Amino acid sequence: MSDYVELSQLSKIYPTPKGPAIIVKDFNLRIKKGEFVTLIGHSGCGKSTVLSMLAGLNEVTEGVIILAGKELIGPGPDRGIVFQSPCLLPWLTAFQNVMLGVDQVFYTASKAERREITEYYLTVVGLGESMHKRAKELSQGMRQRVGIARAFALKPKMLLLDEPFGMLDALTRIELQQVLLEVWGRTQLTALMVTHDVDEAIFLSDRVVMMTNGPAAEVGDVLNITFPRPRNRTALLEDSEYYHCREHLITFLEERAHHKTKAEPALAH
Amino acid sequence: MAFLELKNVSKGYGLGAKRAEVLHGINLSIAEGEFVAIVGYSGAGKTTLMSLIAGLQRPDTGTVALREEEVKEPSPDRAIVFQNYSLLPWLSVYENVALAVDEVFPSWPREKRQEHILKYIAMVNLTPARDKKPRELSGGMRQRVSVARALAMNPRILLLDEPLSALDALTRATLQDEIERIWESDRKTVVLITNDVDEGILLADRIIPLSAGPRATLGPEVKVDIERPRNRKELNHDPRFKEIRKEVIGYLLGAGGHQKKSLTRKLVLPDVEPEDLSKPRSMMSGRPRRKGEEKSETVEVS
C-alpha cells in the first residue's frame, strides 16, 4: 500500500542571537492509510514540533509534508486535532462546541444531518446523557471526550493527537484510551499521536517511533506493535510480548535520558 | 493493635436534598511502620480521606483514631505532603523547614534545631540549595523541601497526598526512588494517596483501591509481597507485579469504576462528506457529496 502521509527531510530551525537553534533535523516519516503511529520521546525533544508542523500551526523551515497526495500548507479541517487540553468554549454546551466545527465543514448538509453527526460522535464517546451540559460543568475527563468527538466529527483525512491524555489522572487516562480506541476502530482514521507514556503508545499504536533528545532531534528507533485489534487491555497485560515492547521503549527512553546533552539546555526547547 | 484505625467513616458535603456523600463506610487499619497506598480516580474523595486522617476535617459518622486516641484536630503527629508543595514563597529552603522545626521542638537548643534541619535537608539532597527561595527551584526540588519539612517534624505518621502527580515522568521516578530510600532508613508509617497504580506497587506494602465516587469506599486490598529494594526495570518482568497490577486496575475499571447505565440508543450517522473550506462557497453546488453508505447503529449510552 502506498504512503498516505509523507514527512520528508523535515527541519525546524529558529534563529537566535547565538545562531540558529536546530530543534528538528532531517526528520523522515511515512504513514500508511489507516495506520496509527505514535511519536515517543522526552519533554522538549521536538516531537510536538513535528506534530504542529503537520497540523500547519508551525511553519516548516525545510522539507515537505504531503497528505493524500497534496503538499500541506497551513492549517485546515482535513486534520482533526486533539490537544492536551481540549480548548472548549466554556460558555457553550458540549453539543454546541462540536456543532461549531460541524456547521462549517458540512455547510451543504441539512441542519438535521449536522445535528445527527454531532449527536453520533458525542454519544459514541460516552456523553449521550451529558451533551447539553456547558463545558465548564464537565470534569476534565469529560471535556477531553468532547475534544475527541469534535476531532472525529469533522471527518478529517487524518487525526493528530498531542499528548491527548497528559493532563488526566492515570485511571481516567486508561478509560479514555479505551474510548479513543473504540471510536478510532469505527473509522480507522490515519493517526499520529505524540506521548511520553509507554503503555499508552503500546496500547494504541501500530508503530511507535522513538525520537532522540533535541536539539536536532531525529528518529532514533522504531518498534512495530503487532497485537491484533480490537485490543483488550486485560488480555494485553497477560501477554509476555507486551512486556517486551514495554522494556524496549523504557530502555530507549532511559538511555536517552542519561545521554542528555547539557551543553546548550536553553536551546533544547 | 492497629496504629491508625478508621471505623465506618463517612463524609459528605451540602445540606438536605443537595447533600452529596463523598466517602461511605470506610474501614481501614494500618500497622506501625507500614507503607500503605490508596489508589483511586481524581474526584473520588482521596483528598477528603486524607483530610480526615490529618484532622483537618471531622467525619460525619465513624471515628478516626491514632494509637487508640481519637483524631479531633490537626497535629504535628501527622505530617502531610501536598501535591502543590505549600511552601512559603518568601522563605528559603532552610527557613521553610525551620518554621516547622521551631514550632514542634521549641524547647530544643538552637544548635540542636539547626543540626536537625540540616540533617533533613541533606536527606532529600538539597544541601546545595538550602538558601534558595522556592521560586528558584524546580517542581521536583520544591516537593523535596516539602518532604524534608514533613519528616523533620518527626511525625508518627507521614501522609503523602498525590505528592508526585504534578511532576513529569522522569522527576517522578527519581523522587519515587528517594521516597523508597528514605522510608527504608527510618520506617515511618506512611499513607500514600495516588492515582498511579505502578507507583503504589513500587513503594507500598499494601495497596487499597478507592472506588469512583460518589459514595466512594475502599475496595479489596492487595498485598505487595515483592522483595525490597524494588527495581522499576526488574519489576516489569516480575509475574507478581503483573498480577497485582491486573488486580488493582481490574477492580478500578470494573466493580470500583464509574457506574455505567445500560441504556441503549439508536443512532444514525448521515452519509455526507466534508466540504473543502479553502474554496469559496459560491463555487460549491450547494448539495453535499454522498458516498451511499449511511450508517445506523445502536450504541450503549453511559
Side-chain angles (χ1 to χ4, degrees), chain B residues 7-22:
Chain B
K7 270 192 198 149
N8 204 21
V9 166
S10 308
K11 177 77 188 170
Y13 299 103
L15 287 169
K18 282 197 163 170
R19 188 185 152 75
E21 196 158 56
V22 177

Side-chain angles (χ1 to χ4, degrees), chain B:
Chain B
M1 184 190 80
F3 188 67
L4 175 76
E5 187 148 49
L6 278 74
K7 270 192 198 149
N8 204 21
V9 166
S10 308
K11 177 77 188 170
Y13 299 103
L15 287 169
K18 282 197 163 170
R19 188 185 152 75
E21 196 158 56
V22 177
L23 296 173
H24 180 80
I26 303 272
N27 288 297
L28 175 65
S29 162
I30 295 175
E32 184 159 16
E34 204 181 6
F35 195 132
V36 172
I38 294 170
V39 185
Y41 290 90
S42 33
K46 299 198 296 290
T47 298
T48 301
L49 179 60
M50 204 51 125
S51 308
L52 294 175
I53 298 174
L56 294 167
Q57 294 188 57
R58 301 289 309 276
D60 296 341
T61 65
T63 54
V64 178
L66 184 67
R67 308 229 293 186
E68 298 194 327
E69 213 172 289
E70 196 177 345
V71 168
K72 291 183 175 158
E73 55 185 7
S75 133
D77 265 7
R78 287 154 273 130
I80 310 191
V81 174
F82 297 98
Q83 185 179 350
N84 60 6
Y85 330 126
S86 305
L87 303 174
L88 297 178
W90 62 89
L91 296 182
S92 69
V93 168
Y94 180 89
E95 290 163 333
N96 264 291
V97 180
L99 195 68
V101 172
D102 293 347
E103 185 66 33
V104 177
F105 306 108
S107 59
W108 287 8
R110 231 176 89 85
E111 293 71 39
K112 187 175 176 190
R113 271 184 274 153
Q114 194 175 4
E115 198 186 311
H116 187 78
I117 296 162
L118 291 175
K119 175 182 149 194
Y120 283 95
I121 291 178
M123 188 184 265
V124 297
N125 294 331
L126 276 184
T127 306
R130 51 175 272 199
D131 295 320
K132 290 216 160 106
K133 299 264 161 53
R135 65 169 174 275
E136 300 171 271
L137 304 175
S138 67
M141 290 165 91
R142 287 183 209 183
Q143 197 55 287
R144 285 173 198 208
V145 182
S146 181
V147 169
R149 178 179 60 184
L151 288 171
M153 296 196 291
N154 225 343
R156 292 224 165 91
I157 185 163
L158 183 63
L159 307 174
L160 305 172
D161 187 2
E162 301 219 21
L164 310 179
S165 298
L167 305 173
D168 69 87
L170 283 172
T171 316
R172 200 180 307 159
T174 317
L175 273 184
Q176 280 166 356
D177 294 345
E178 219 149 281
I179 289 176
E180 158 116 62
R181 178 180 60 79
I182 293 168
W183 182 80
E184 282 288 348
S185 68
D186 72 6
R187 294 270 169 174
K188 226 161 218 61
T189 312
V190 178
V191 180
L192 166 73
I193 280 192
T194 180
N195 59 52
D196 184 342
V197 178
D198 292 0
E199 183 171 293
I201 302 178
L202 189 70
L203 294 172
D205 297 318
R206 207 153 40 111
I207 298 186
I208 307 170
L210 182 69
S211 70
R215 287 170 68 87
T217 194
L218 295 174
E221 63 166 51
V222 181
K223 266 209 146 49
V224 186
D225 39 13
I226 299 174
E227 253 179 71
R228 294 175 190 268
R230 297 172 190 155
N231 172 304
R232 201 169 281 106
K233 220 161 151 190
E234 282 165 23
L235 269 188
N236 200 18
H237 296 286
D238 192 321
R240 192 61 194 131
F241 170 74
K242 294 177 202 176
E243 258 172 52
I244 296 169
R245 202 163 187 255
K246 203 181 116 196
E247 227 170 298
V248 178
I249 293 179
Y251 172 80
L252 285 167
L253 292 181
H258 294 110
Q259 294 312 310
K260 291 196 175 78
K261 288 180 213 146
S262 57
L263 204 70
T264 53
R265 188 181 279 186
K266 217 171 149 63
L267 288 172
V268 178
L269 184 60
D271 169 32
V272 287
E273 290 297 301
E275 297 296 345
D276 185 348
L277 296 186
S278 61
K279 291 184 186 142
R281 294 193 179 190
S282 53
M283 274 177 62
M284 307 314 274
S285 67
R287 297 231 307 278
R289 288 171 297 137
R290 298 180 195 274
K291 273 186 171 166
E293 48 174 40
E294 185 161 274
K295 253 171 65 182
S296 139
E297 55 190 297
T298 313
V299 173
E300 228 169 77
V301 179
S302 56

Side-chain angles (χ1 to χ4, degrees), chain A residues 144-213:
Chain A
Q144 197 54 287
R145 286 175 195 245
V146 181
I148 294 171
R150 180 176 57 184
F152 278 94
L154 302 184
K155 264 204 181 181
K157 289 189 184 129
M158 93 172 286
L159 193 65
L160 302 172
L161 306 129
D162 190 4
E163 302 204 20
F165 311 124
M167 282 176 46
L168 305 174
D169 70 80
L171 292 162
T172 309
R173 200 178 304 166
I174 291 176
E175 273 188 338
L176 281 204
Q177 286 164 2
Q178 193 68 48
V179 167
L180 175 65
L181 213 52
E182 271 170 36
V183 193
W184 182 81
R186 288 164 194 267
T187 52
Q188 298 266 329
L189 267 179
T190 311
L192 182 67
M193 177 173 79
V194 157
T195 186
H196 53 235
D197 182 328
V198 170
D199 293 303
E200 184 166 290
I202 302 173
F203 187 50
L204 297 174
S205 349
D206 297 312
R207 189 148 56 98
V208 183
V209 175
M210 290 158 258
M211 279 181 78
T212 62
N213 276 333

